[in-house]
Amino acid sequence: KQLLSYVGNNFGSGVMKRNSLCRYFVGVLNKDSGQMEVYNAEIFNMQPLLSDNLIPDDTKDYQNKSFREKVDLCIEAFGTSKQKRALNSRRMNAVGNDMLNTAVTKAAANVIDAKGVTALIQDVAQDDVQNMSIFLPPCHEDADKPEHVYKFEDILSPAEYEALKGPAAAFINITPEEITKKTEEKSHCSFVLEELKFLPVDEKSRDHKARCLWFLDILVKFSFLKVIKKKHPMGPECPHIISRKLMKNFTSLTYNNGSVQNLISASMKTKITSYVIALALHINKFQIDLTVLQNDMKLHESRMMDIAKAMRLKISKAKGLPGLENDQNHKLGTLSLPLPAQKTSGNQRKRKKMN
């Protein structure tokens, strides 16, 4: 038999807390007489001491060990062969991780020394611009007119544009009273409700603007969805070709619970926002209130400004514009030629300054 020794302290920082209003006793039963004698006692924890030589100094080292280390000691002394192999494997992995972390840290330091912090930050910023450009409409930098930078047919194909005639008809003959009611009900985004007040008198231009506004409103509403579970998420009034465009161009495929789902990820939200901006530019003569669209899309201002700058818009304050005299916080985005050079996002500039 192997005896297991227990040790404990009734003084010091590790002593068990006790109630000062209580007294503790130990009862010793005499088996022959059946009588029990009661003695005053103190309460404290006792723990197993895994050592062949019981030396008082050993208890202090044991008490300072973590629970994980104590369990490992038990495995070393009493564990099965399988438990001991698992323990050795875990310890080897820990050593390997430490060596890998050291190697990675040393390699990163060598790269920083060789290239410099400023150059590395510029590389990261350039990667951010390139990554965002994947989710923007095709940009024709050699365009001779603003309307050719982001071509309308890259936003809506002729077949898609034709399909919008039916649902957009409700906008063509809309009355001021209906606009007021829709504003109260918040049935459409603010940008669309404001532009409906200024539909052209010319029949062809009025029809064109109504179709564009209807599609822009659908894009904004679609961006609020998370996981697309319906085949026609925007309802039966949305043409099939438009529903297919939304699902194909503005969602990511994800695998969940054994099935493939369409998801509107953060990158897809960025893509939808960029297409909303491009369409709004065509609607509003290539100058738009970015703050209104930012609120419609429920984005942070910094994110909206990053997308606008990536799309090569010139940003300015909306000071002095009709209806905005008392609000100095609105930001205007203007698409004009020549296009400004691509700039890094505000976050990258802050990171560079901090370093």
Side-chain angles (χ1 to χ4, degrees), residues 249-285:
N249 294 352
F250 300 108
T251 65
S252 303
L253 291 178
T254 182
Y255 187 78
N256 187 33
N257 293 330
S259 62
V260 177
Q261 295 177 336
N262 292 84
L263 173 75
I264 298 182
S265 60
S267 58
M268 287 296 109
K269 177 90 171 183
T270 297
K271 185 174 183 179
I272 294 173
T273 303
S274 68
Y275 275 76
V276 166
I277 291 174
L279 186 56
L281 289 168
H282 279 275
I283 293 172
N284 216 13
K285 298 180 180 178

Side-chain angles (χ1 to χ4, degrees), residues 13 58-67 69-70:
S13 59
D58 291 348
T59 63
K60 187 175 181 180
D61 292 338
Y62 179 79
Q63 296 291 346
N64 292 333
K65 292 183 182 298
S66 66
F67 177 76
E69 290 173 328
K70 292 177 182 178

Side-chain angles (χ1 to χ4, degrees), residues 8-17 43-45 47 63-64:
N9 292 327
N10 59 352
F11 62 90
S13 59
V15 68
M16 182 177 179
K17 291 184 179 180
I43 187 169
F44 54 91
N45 281 337
Q47 294 179 326
Q63 296 291 346
N64 292 333

Side-chain angles (χ1 to χ4, degrees), residues 93-257:
N93 287 339
V95 173
N97 288 337
D98 290 342
M99 294 176 63
L100 178 61
N101 290 335
T102 302
V104 169
T105 302
K106 185 176 180 180
N110 291 338
V111 171
I112 292 173
D113 291 341
K115 199 165 187 178
V117 174
T118 302
L120 288 172
I121 292 174
Q122 290 174 349
D123 288 348
V124 172
Q126 185 62 31
D127 288 343
D128 285 352
V129 171
Q130 292 174 352
N131 291 338
M132 184 176 288
S133 66
I134 298 173
F135 304 105
L136 304 181
C139 179
H140 303 275
E141 298 186 22
D142 57 348
D144 56 348
K145 296 179 181 179
E147 54 264 37
H148 295 157
V149 176
Y150 297 106
K151 294 182 178 180
F152 188 79
E153 53 267 31
D154 290 332
I155 303 171
L156 281 168
S157 69
E160 293 162 352
Y161 181 77
E162 182 62 29
L164 294 173
K165 182 177 182 179
F171 282 175
I172 294 176
N173 298 316
I174 195 169
T175 64
E177 292 75 19
E178 289 174 324
I179 295 175
T180 301
K181 184 179 179 181
K182 288 180 179 294
T183 302
E184 293 172 352
E185 295 173 347
K186 297 182 179 180
S187 57
H188 303 288
C189 65
S190 299
F191 179 86
V192 169
L193 290 170
E194 185 65 23
E195 290 299 321
L196 283 174
K197 300 175 184 177
F198 306 102
L199 288 175
V201 177
D202 177 70
E203 183 178 347
K204 185 176 180 180
S205 300
R206 191 180 185 91
D207 174 63
H208 174 74
K209 186 171 184 179
R211 297 190 199 195
C212 294
L213 289 174
W214 193 91
F215 182 64
L216 186 145
D217 192 61
I218 282 291
L219 280 175
V220 173
K221 291 175 179 176
F222 187 73
S223 70
F224 299 146
L225 303 179
K226 300 296 183 183
V227 178
I228 315 299
K229 298 181 180 179
K230 300 178 181 178
K231 189 175 182 180
H232 301 286
M234 306 315 296
E237 70 277 4
C238 182
H240 177 70
I241 190 173
I242 299 299
S243 293
R244 189 171 60 193
K245 178 186 183 72
L246 295 174
M247 298 291 282
K248 180 181 178 182
N249 294 352
F250 300 108
T251 65
S252 303
L253 291 178
T254 182
Y255 187 78
N256 187 33
N257 293 330

